[in-house]
Amino acid sequence: MFSHITVGARELERSGRFYDALLTPLGLARRTVTPDGGPAALCWAAADASLPRFYVYRPFNGALASAGNGSMVAFLAPSIEAVHAAYAGGLQHGGGDDGAPGPRPRYGAGYYGAYLRDPDGNKLHIVHRADLLPRRMERTPAKDSLP
């Protein structure tokens, strides 16, 4: 569904430490970003997939990065333990609590998540969905592959 998602950052080094700690327990790894003439950026993706990607950029317009009101990025966790590890890693690297890990039954049976803010105030959600098995975690060959 998504090619990539981006959020802005004021300090890429700080954001890199935060997102490495948050995303590694979720099975995402930092990828090298090839300079394209735009602003400096960092990128994470699953080791066995080229898309989707998550980017952290210095804003293209040169203004300070700011969090979007009503915006949130939700990252899929393979287990409840991964939710806890990502949340703890984010807090240890400058993130702020916005909702401790726990069940969220109003969103569905087996829904377990945590909320936090990155160092620039972007709202993030880490979720394990025992009620749904995402295609990314199924790893079955695509039948509708394009040539």
Side-chain angles (χ1 to χ4, degrees):
M1 174 182 250
F2 294 104
S3 166
H4 60 280
I5 294 172
T6 65
V7 297
R10 294 177 184 162
E11 298 176 31
L12 282 182
E13 269 188 51
R14 176 183 69 176
S15 291
R17 291 188 300 273
F18 172 84
Y19 281 107
D20 282 340
L22 180 86
L23 298 175
T24 298
L26 306 181
L28 302 175
R30 196 187 300 197
R31 298 246 177 128
T32 301
V33 177
T34 304
D36 63 0
L42 303 174
C43 175
W44 289 262
D48 60 348
S50 59
L51 295 174
R53 294 180 182 188
F54 177 74
Y55 287 95
V56 177
Y57 274 90
R58 289 196 179 109
F60 190 81
N61 65 4
L64 287 179
S66 61
N69 186 24
S71 299
M72 180 179 71
V73 177
F75 292 99
L76 190 59
S79 66
I80 289 172
E81 295 78 16
V83 171
H84 283 270
Y87 177 80
L91 292 180
Q92 290 171 356
H93 289 85
D97 171 51
D98 214 23
R104 304 291 197 281
R106 69 181 178 270
Y107 299 136
Y111 195 108
Y112 192 94
Y115 296 89
L116 66 157
R117 300 278 178 161
D118 76 4
D120 290 292
N122 294 298
K123 187 171 184 177
L124 308 170
H125 182 42
I126 305 137
V127 61
H128 174 66
R129 298 289 311 258
D131 58 334
L132 301 173
L133 183 59
R135 293 180 84 183
R136 183 173 88 85
M137 293 184 172
E138 287 178 7
R139 288 291 158 233
T140 56
K143 294 178 183 164
D144 301 332
S145 298
L146 297 174

